[in-house]
Amino acid sequence: MQALIPGALKRLLLASNFRGYSRVPGASEQTTITTTSTAAAGTPSLQTSPDAALRGPAQPHVNPQRHPQQQQQQGHGHVPLFAYPLLVAAVFAVSSAATVFSLMPEVPAITLAAWRLQLTSVLLGVGAVAQWRHLSPSDRSRALRSCGWLVGSGACLAVHFGSWVWGLQHTSLTHSLLLVSATPLLLAALALTTGSRLSAGELGGTLLGLAGAVVLSVGASGGGEARVGLAGDLASLLASAVMVGYLSVGRRLRQWMPIFVYAFPVTAAAALALTLGGLALEPVSLGGAGSGGVFGWLVGGSGSRSGSRSTHYGGWVLYLALGPGIVGHTGFNTLLRYLSPLTVALAFQMEPLVGSLIGWGAGVMTAPGGATYGGGALVVAATVWVTLASAARERAEQQQQGGQEGQGGGQKGGGQQGVVVGKEGAGVGEEGVALVAAGRWRKGAGEEAGVGGGGGRREERAGLLRGGGGGGGGGGAVAERRTEPLTKQELVDFLSSGCKPKSQWRIGTEHEKLGFNLHDNSRMTYDQIAQVLRKLEARFGWQPIMEDGRIIGVHLDGQSVTLEPGGQFELSGAPVDSIHKTCAEVNSHLYQVKAICEELHCGFLGVGFDPKWAIPEIPVMPKGRYALMKAYMPTVGTMGLDMMFRTCTVQVNLDFESERDMVDKFRIGLALQPVANALFANSPFKEGRPTGYVSTRGHVWTDVDNSRTGNLPFVFREDMCFERYVEYAMDVPMYFVYRNGQYVNALGMSWRDFMAGRLPALPGEYPTLADWANHLTTIFPEVRLKKYLEMRGADGGPWRMLCALPALWVGLLYDDEAQQQALALVSDWTDAERDCLRTEVTRFGLRTRFRGGTVQDLAKEVVSIARGGLQRRGADEASFLKRLEVIAETGLTQSDHLLELYETKWKRSVDPLYTEFMY
């Protein structure tokens, strides 16, 4: 038992600040919570988008639950005007429940509690039926197998409500509210008694709360206050204690079970138990009216047990469902979009004070005595203290865990002593690092002193260095500042160190995909993606990558899964020696995420551009640099935000043997990227309609930031070499520098100034090789040079296309004869022809005209060269080109098929694309 306490209680402590709220594990700050508290048992989170009513019918439907994390990660900077009035109304509504119960003293306690849950069950049942219809057969079976847990949770809820209402009738309203709200104190006390580790704040708050309870008990036993009774106090305390069981079950089941499907059977079971309890223990009957019947709220009857007056209780019971339930607890759910969970939790702790004032004003209680004032103040202060201390400890433990993971991953990965910068350990390790397109974090890799972040992995002999996911979290060593400038030769040597013999060449494949919700195709929020990442960790052994206490990726055996700005889900594969292995890696990954998504009612789509949603409707992932990049992109191009939030690609990373080999591969890659773009075109839609482009992704890249994108004409000049690329990269404006766990704004500043110690953002400081590795990843040409070459010109697509891309480029570039044939094919193309191909194939694809023929003619020849190269490799890999051969022969790309379906079978809707083409 003791071993289970720390892991279970450290989250329950914070979750319990909403009595009955169950945070879904895996999310750093939960926004959808299950409400079954003393005021609103089982009431679902009926969140609605605040701006939904303002949108006209022409706008796409927006998922009501898609933006909360985006609001949170922006620091709740856009708090609407209604937020704080709603907070006040929610506190008032929740606090009024005790008074409403007290206005019906003639109704037996267990029966009164049953009434409240009977009506709630009816409301929940409607939603449960709707959600059940959308459950997969496996989830339905799993839900049925969970009946025992649901009944157990319902039993806890029944005891909670029954004992609390009984306590209200046998002690003062203030005492009852104070004690029933003390679940955080009870959890802390339980942890203390079982020997679990508590922070000083939690320990101090617990002791203060015990002191307050003693003062309250003295007042109760002394009889100094009307209606105060020790038995009633104990019953209220029992109501608080059983919430621990309810919260525990809720946390277990709400990882995967939809809200209504969970809340309805729990609330119905509690209502049934209380109804049967009332029949067995109280003077009520099945058909009795008013206070004499277990369903007496439905019809008027004798108001008192002596029959002195007639009362209809339906109005009060309806108020308990709509006021404390909808306005109160659903209001708290809504406010979690704009205010932090801790803010809402602390507001919730006002219930004892506000409830007492409401009860006093309604005449259901007399003025509290001195012991209640004193003890109550101690209990409220202690609860707030434990709430704050629990939240602080949880954050500290997450950061510590992230630091250990980042440190461990770097040590295991090796590399040249990778680097951890600052508390987040945002590892720039031996290869690649951190900020790829538009500052998007991909993989950690290091070069300087320190410990590598987040699973960065180097294959000493194999060569193709891949960082396995960005920095790991706190606890890493801070990169030491250089005392003298970097030389240009050091930058050149950094790139040339990637040269390696053919026996050590490897293949690294990366692909991105869009996550969406099955019920409305809306993009997944960070909280949902975090659940997928946590399940990859728990079920398949991946290791988490943390940033600021949040999970932002996972890594395993040289692979990493990371997030792009709009939640695009990227697999960066390990360096392997055959296409069979890289394809098996992709297949395994897709199996894993598909299995998880079947439980979470989501899916992943392989396309090059989001077919439906506008940028404001796409959640922003919780990474600090994205706010910086989001503001900067519109100043340097018209489609930078589209690139950040709506594009998906598949790319392959390949090695080179020498500087001469690098130059030849670079030239072939740049010249033939348009052919690859045409073959892999798979993004004809934008915001629900055709764009006129077969590769909207490719079109977007034509105007992102011309200072760092494009065809790089200098690569085709006679003086092309590592040093020439270094000269180019030093002239590309900077984005930022990572220091002490923060992204230092260096937008538009000069790398050359940085090398001279004159960077305005960091005056007097010189860059490290880790800064150089970062800077290289903020350059986005069609082919990018690091210690290997990245082929970046293809749309994301279905599984077979993800395997076809590495097959194409390996066939062209990993066989000497094929490489020479490809080089001869493109050697006399002009800069103007290459630029024309780059822009025109995004619109016309394989039909693009070129030198008296079409790009389709080029594609046939290119694919044929690649087949010959694969066959000569002798690894039986040529079969991976079959899909490309069909496309080249017929001239029909994936985009052409999608457009035909759109006009015919799909009746000009993109929604069927999600179901028919998801992985």
Side-chain angles (χ1 to χ4, degrees), residues 164-472:
W164 181 54
V165 175
W166 191 91
L168 271 172
Q169 295 180 349
H170 292 81
T171 191
S172 72
L173 185 145
T174 301
H175 273 223
S176 180
L177 286 174
L178 286 168
L179 295 171
V180 81
S181 301
T183 303
L185 297 179
L186 294 176
L187 284 167
L190 177 60
L192 183 64
T193 58
T194 56
S196 301
R197 181 178 178 181
L198 291 178
S199 68
E202 290 171 303
L203 180 60
T206 302
L207 295 176
L208 184 65
L210 293 175
V214 170
V215 174
L216 287 174
S217 66
V218 169
S221 60
E225 184 178 334
R227 286 197 61 205
V228 171
L230 185 58
D233 284 358
L234 292 175
S236 299
L237 199 60
L238 173 62
S240 180
V242 295
M243 287 307 294
V244 175
Y246 170 78
L247 288 168
S248 299
V249 175
R251 286 189 58 81
R252 177 189 179 95
L253 296 183
R254 283 289 288 130
Q255 293 183 57
W256 61 274
M257 189 177 288
I259 174 63
F260 289 104
V261 175
Y262 167 77
F264 169 66
V266 169
T267 309
L272 178 61
L274 289 168
T275 300
L276 296 176
L279 287 171
L281 302 175
E282 295 175 336
V284 294
S285 63
L286 191 61
S291 62
V294 288
F295 299 105
W297 61 276
L298 291 171
V299 292
S302 175
S304 67
R305 294 169 202 175
S306 61
S308 61
R309 60 188 176 92
S310 179
T311 303
H312 197 298
Y313 298 102
W316 288 124
V317 176
L318 182 62
Y319 172 78
L320 287 171
L322 298 180
I326 302 301
V327 176
H329 290 278
T330 303
F332 281 127
N333 275 283
T334 301
L335 288 167
L336 284 169
R337 299 171 182 269
Y338 313 106
L339 307 175
S340 71
L342 188 58
T343 299
V344 179
L346 293 175
F348 203 94
Q349 300 307 324
M350 296 299 293
E351 182 182 0
L353 174 61
V354 176
S356 296
L357 292 175
I358 294 172
W360 196 359
V364 300
M365 61 172 285
T366 59
T372 297
Y373 280 118
L378 292 176
V379 170
V380 171
T383 303
V384 171
W385 190 358
V386 169
T387 299
L388 293 170
S390 298
R393 176 170 61 85
E394 187 175 76
R395 287 194 300 270
E397 288 179 353
Q398 287 174 337
Q399 291 172 356
Q400 181 181 10
Q401 179 188 16
Q404 293 169 347
E405 288 159 351
Q407 188 175 23
Q411 290 171 336
K412 179 179 179 180
Q416 288 188 357
Q417 302 173 311
V419 75
V420 175
V421 183
K423 64 180 181 181
E424 296 174 355
V428 252
E430 159 80 12
E431 187 40 271
V433 100
L435 310 163
V436 188
R440 296 176 285 174
W441 186 269
R442 279 190 201 274
K443 6 192 179 319
E447 186 66 24
E448 295 295 316
V451 180
R457 180 174 183 261
R458 179 188 183 200
E459 298 223 344
E460 289 286 344
R461 292 174 298 173
L464 180 63
L465 209 22
R466 300 293 305 284

Side-chain angles (χ1 to χ4, degrees), residues 14-76:
L14 187 56
S16 65
N17 293 302
F18 306 97
R19 279 186 284 116
Y21 285 44
S22 297
R23 299 197 315 152
V24 178
S28 60
E29 303 223 351
Q30 181 57 29
T31 57
T32 303
I33 45 184
T34 312
T35 62
T36 44
S37 80
T38 55
T43 303
S45 171
L46 302 175
Q47 301 183 13
T48 55
S49 175
D51 59 346
L54 302 179
R55 280 193 269 272
Q59 296 294 332
H61 172 69
V62 179
N63 177 17
Q65 297 186 8
R66 61 193 306 202
H67 297 305
Q69 189 65 28
Q70 176 178 349
Q71 295 289 351
Q72 290 182 12
Q73 303 315 326
Q74 295 176 352
H76 310 282

Side-chain angles (χ1 to χ4, degrees), residues 647-661:
T647 62
C648 290
T649 188
V650 53
Q651 73 175 54
V652 64
N653 306 325
L654 301 174
D655 286 311
F656 42 80
E657 186 175 29
S658 63
E659 186 172 65
R660 181 70 259 167
D661 186 44

Side-chain angles (χ1 to χ4, degrees), residues 616-675:
E617 298 167 330
I618 298 173
V620 180
M621 296 300 102
K623 299 182 182 181
R625 62 198 162 277
Y626 289 159
L628 188 69
M629 298 311 306
K630 187 177 181 182
Y632 178 71
M633 279 297 181
T635 69
V636 292
T638 62
M639 293 183 281
L641 296 183
D642 288 307
M643 179 276 292
M644 288 179 66
F645 294 101
R646 300 205 272 189
T647 62
C648 290
T649 188
V650 53
Q651 73 175 54
V652 64
N653 306 325
L654 301 174
D655 286 311
F656 42 80
E657 186 175 29
S658 63
E659 186 172 65
R660 181 70 259 167
D661 186 44
M662 177 275 294
V663 172
D664 288 347
K665 284 181 166 67
F666 210 150
R667 290 173 176 172
I668 295 168
L670 280 174
L672 294 182
Q673 286 305 314
V675 178

Side-chain angles (χ1 to χ4, degrees), residues 743-803:
Y743 292 92
V744 179
N745 186 341
L747 290 171
M749 298 180 190
S750 166
W751 176 266
R752 295 182 187 271
D753 286 345
F754 196 11
M755 288 185 67
R758 298 193 301 266
L759 190 71
L762 294 171
E765 186 169 336
Y766 298 116
T768 65
L769 283 177
D771 296 321
W772 176 240
N774 268 326
H775 182 60
L776 290 176
T777 60
T778 65
I779 303 172
F780 316 129
E782 296 296 289
V783 176
R784 179 164 57 191
L785 173 63
K786 294 192 287 189
K787 294 183 180 179
Y788 50 84
L789 287 167
E790 298 178 349
M791 305 294 151
R792 299 165 35 84
D795 286 0
W799 175 74
R800 288 184 179 179
M801 300 300 281
L802 301 182
C803 300

Side-chain angles (χ1 to χ4, degrees), residues 396-537:
E397 288 179 353
Q398 287 174 337
Q399 291 172 356
Q400 181 181 10
Q401 179 188 16
Q404 293 169 347
E405 288 159 351
Q407 188 175 23
Q411 290 171 336
K412 179 179 179 180
Q416 288 188 357
Q417 302 173 311
V419 75
V420 175
V421 183
K423 64 180 181 181
E424 296 174 355
V428 252
E430 159 80 12
E431 187 40 271
V433 100
L435 310 163
V436 188
R440 296 176 285 174
W441 186 269
R442 279 190 201 274
K443 6 192 179 319
E447 186 66 24
E448 295 295 316
V451 180
R457 180 174 183 261
R458 179 188 183 200
E459 298 223 344
E460 289 286 344
R461 292 174 298 173
L464 180 63
L465 209 22
R466 300 293 305 284
V478 178
E480 295 183 2
R481 293 187 178 184
R482 288 182 65 101
T483 58
E484 58 185 27
L486 279 171
T487 66
K488 185 170 71 172
Q489 188 59 47
E490 287 180 280
L491 306 185
V492 172
D493 292 343
F494 179 91
L495 295 178
S496 64
S497 66
C499 295
K500 53 187 65 69
K502 290 182 180 180
S503 61
Q504 295 181 16
W505 287 0
R506 294 295 183 267
I507 306 161
T509 307
E510 305 176 20
H511 80 273
E512 301 160 348
K513 49 196 169 290
L514 298 177
F516 66 96
N517 292 289
L518 295 181
H519 68 283
D520 65 355
N521 299 331
S522 61
R523 292 277 286 272
M524 292 170 64
T525 65
Y526 168 72
D527 283 340
Q528 294 173 306
I529 293 173
Q531 290 185 64
V532 177
L533 293 173
R534 286 299 186 188
K535 285 180 177 290
L536 285 172
E537 175 191 3

